[in-house]
Amino acid sequence: MKRFFRYLYDCRYVWLWVMISGAIFAGVFALYGIRMEAVWYPLLLSALSGLVFLMLGFLRYRRKHMELERLQPGAAPCAEYLPRADSLTESDYQALVLREEEANRARKEEWDSARNDMNDYYAVWVHQIKAPIAVMRVMLQQEDTRENRELSAELFRIEQYAEMALYYIRLGEGASDLVIQEYELDDIIRKAVRKYAGQFIRRKIRLVYNGTDERVVTDEKWLSFIIEQLLSNAVKYTPEGGNVTISVDDKKQLSVTDTGIGISPEDLPRIFEKGYTGYNGRLDKKSTGIGLYLCRTAADKLGHRLLAQSEPGKGSRFIVDLKTYSLQAE
C-alpha cells in the first residue's frame, strides 16, 4: 500500500493536469450554456479509462521497483544488469551512474596498483632486513658477554617486529597463502617455545608445558604466529621469576597463562582492537597495539576463536579454541 501511494505521489502532476482540464471544460460549457450532463458523462468515461491505465502503470512501476531491489551489483559493469530506461530522465540517471562507476573503477585500479606496490616494497624490505639481522646475530654470538646477550635480545625484538610487518601485509591481502590441513599441535607449540626460549631464560621466567597428543585442522604458519605473539606478550608483561603455562585440554582449547601484571577490566573488551594499547600499553611506551589485533584477525581467518581472561596483578590467560574450525582435513 505504501508503494501504491508513492506511485500516486509520483504521478501528482498528471492528476493536477486532469483536474485543471476538467475545470476548464466545465467552465467553457457553462459559458456557452451547454447542459452539465455533457461534461460529467465524458469525464466519467475518461476517469474509468484513466483508472485502467493507472493500474497498468502501477504494475509496471512495481515490477521495475522489484527488479531494482533484486539487483546484486558485482564485478560486472552496471550496464549489464540495470533495467531498460523507460524515460529520458531514467536514461540520464543511468548514464550518470555509468560515468561515476567508470571513474570509481579507475580510482580503484589506481589505488590497488599503489597498494600492491607498497605491499611488494615492504615484503621485499622485510626479507632484505633479515640478512643484516642474521649477520649481527652471528657477530654477537662470537663473544658471550652480558652486553652481547642484551644486544641479542634487542635484535630478536627487531626481527619479530619485521616479521609482524610482513604478517600485517599478508593479512591485508586476505591471507591467500593459507594451507589448511591436519597438524600435530605439539610440534607447532614446541617450535614456538624453542624460538622464545632465550627470552624466557633472559627474563628468568619459568615456562611450563607438558605436551599434547591433539591434532588440529589449521594453518601451521598462522597458528604459529598466534602462539608466538601470545608468548611474546607473556614475556613482555611477566616480571622476573614469574611463570608462563601452556596447556591444551580435551576440547582442543590451547591456553597461554602468565602470572604477569594482568589487564584492567575496562581494557579487556578492547584489547583486540587495532591500535588499542590500554593502560599497560601506556606504561610500555613501545607498545603498538597491533600484535593482539593481528592474532584475532588471523584466528578469525582460520575459523578459531581467541578469548582473553585476566585479573590485574594476578596475570592473564589467552585461549585459542581450535575446535571451532568448520572444515575437515583433506
Side-chain angles (χ1 to χ4, degrees):
M1 185 60 67
K2 182 179 179 181
R3 194 176 300 164
F4 179 72
F5 284 116
R6 176 65 187 182
Y7 173 70
L8 293 180
Y9 177 76
D10 290 343
C11 300
R12 59 191 181 278
Y13 294 113
V14 176
W15 294 110
L16 181 62
W17 173 77
V18 169
M19 289 187 291
I20 293 176
S21 299
I24 291 174
F25 271 94
V28 171
F29 277 38
L31 290 175
Y32 281 91
I34 302 175
R35 295 175 61 185
M36 295 306 295
E37 287 80 358
V39 179
W40 302 126
Y41 184 67
L43 282 179
L44 179 60
L45 293 178
S46 299
L48 291 175
S49 61
L51 185 61
V52 173
F53 284 107
L54 176 70
M55 297 307 299
L56 293 176
F58 172 71
L59 293 176
R60 187 175 184 180
Y61 176 89
R62 179 174 174 271
R63 183 174 63 253
K64 175 165 286 189
H65 178 75
M66 295 177 67
E67 287 178 2
L68 291 173
E69 281 189 332
R70 286 194 298 264
L71 287 181
Q72 297 293 334
C78 289
E80 296 184 9
Y81 57 79
L82 284 177
R84 183 177 62 86
D86 292 333
S87 64
L88 179 61
T89 302
E90 283 191 20
S91 179
D92 291 340
Y93 275 123
Q94 289 191 9
L96 180 62
V97 169
L98 292 176
R99 288 197 300 270
E100 186 64 25
E101 180 192 38
E102 184 178 352
N104 286 336
R105 288 183 183 275
R107 286 194 293 267
K108 185 177 184 301
E109 289 177 1
E110 182 180 352
W111 185 87
D112 287 341
S113 177
R115 182 173 179 272
N116 291 334
D117 289 342
M118 182 187 69
N119 289 347
D120 292 341
Y121 169 77
Y122 282 116
V124 171
W125 178 85
V126 170
H127 287 296
Q128 289 179 337
I129 201 66
K130 288 184 177 181
I133 289 175
V135 172
M136 286 187 286
R137 180 179 294 109
V138 172
M139 294 174 62
L140 291 172
Q141 290 174 348
Q142 292 179 356
E143 187 176 357
D144 186 17
T145 63
R146 181 176 180 179
E147 181 181 10
N148 282 3
R149 287 194 295 270
E150 293 295 327
L151 290 174
S152 295
E154 295 303 318
L155 191 62
F156 178 83
R157 294 179 63 185
I158 293 174
E159 185 176 20
Q160 293 307 109
Y161 290 144
E163 289 186 359
M164 186 184 295
L166 185 59
Y167 278 103
Y168 185 85
I169 293 171
R170 288 174 176 171
L171 280 177
E173 294 174 345
S176 58
D177 60 341
L178 292 177
V179 179
I180 303 296
Q181 63 184 50
E182 194 172 51
Y183 294 94
E184 292 284 351
L185 182 57
D186 186 70
D187 293 340
I188 298 176
I189 295 175
R190 291 189 184 277
K191 287 179 182 178
V193 169
R194 284 194 294 270
K195 185 173 183 178
Y196 277 83
Q199 301 299 308
F200 282 98
I201 295 172
R202 173 175 169 267
R203 295 289 301 274
K204 299 179 182 179
I205 297 173
R206 181 171 177 262
L207 176 64
V208 180
Y209 174 59
N210 297 321
T212 179
D213 296 327
E214 297 289 348
R215 296 176 63 85
V216 295
V217 178
T218 187
D219 176 87
E220 181 180 18
K221 180 181 65 178
W222 287 101
L223 181 58
S224 296
F225 170 77
I226 294 173
I227 297 174
E228 289 172 9
Q229 286 300 308
L230 297 181
L231 291 177
S232 175
N233 282 353
V235 171
K236 183 188 300 183
Y237 295 112
T238 301
E240 290 188 7
N243 298 322
V244 174
T245 303
I246 303 176
S247 61
V248 181
D249 61 21
D250 56 357
K251 296 181 180 179
K252 295 186 180 181
Q253 290 188 337
L254 187 155
S255 301
V256 178
T257 308
D258 63 61
T259 57
I261 61 177
I263 304 170
S264 62
E266 59 270 20
D267 289 336
L268 194 59
R270 301 186 59 191
I271 58 174
F272 295 111
E273 294 181 9
K274 183 178 180 180
Y276 186 77
T277 58
Y279 177 75
N280 293 342
R282 289 187 287 273
L283 292 178
D284 180 12
K285 303 301 182 182
K286 300 176 183 178
S287 178
T288 61
I290 296 296
L292 288 178
Y293 162 76
L294 292 178
C295 287
R296 168 60 67 83
T297 306
D300 290 342
K301 291 182 180 295
L302 293 173
H304 305 324
R305 281 200 309 158
L306 182 59
L307 308 172
Q309 301 170 352
S310 184
E311 187 174 346
K314 294 186 178 181
S316 303
R317 183 188 185 203
F318 287 88
I319 303 170
V320 185
D321 188 351
L322 301 171
K323 197 176 180 180
T324 57
Y325 198 78
S326 58
L327 299 181
Q328 298 295 324
E330 296 181 358

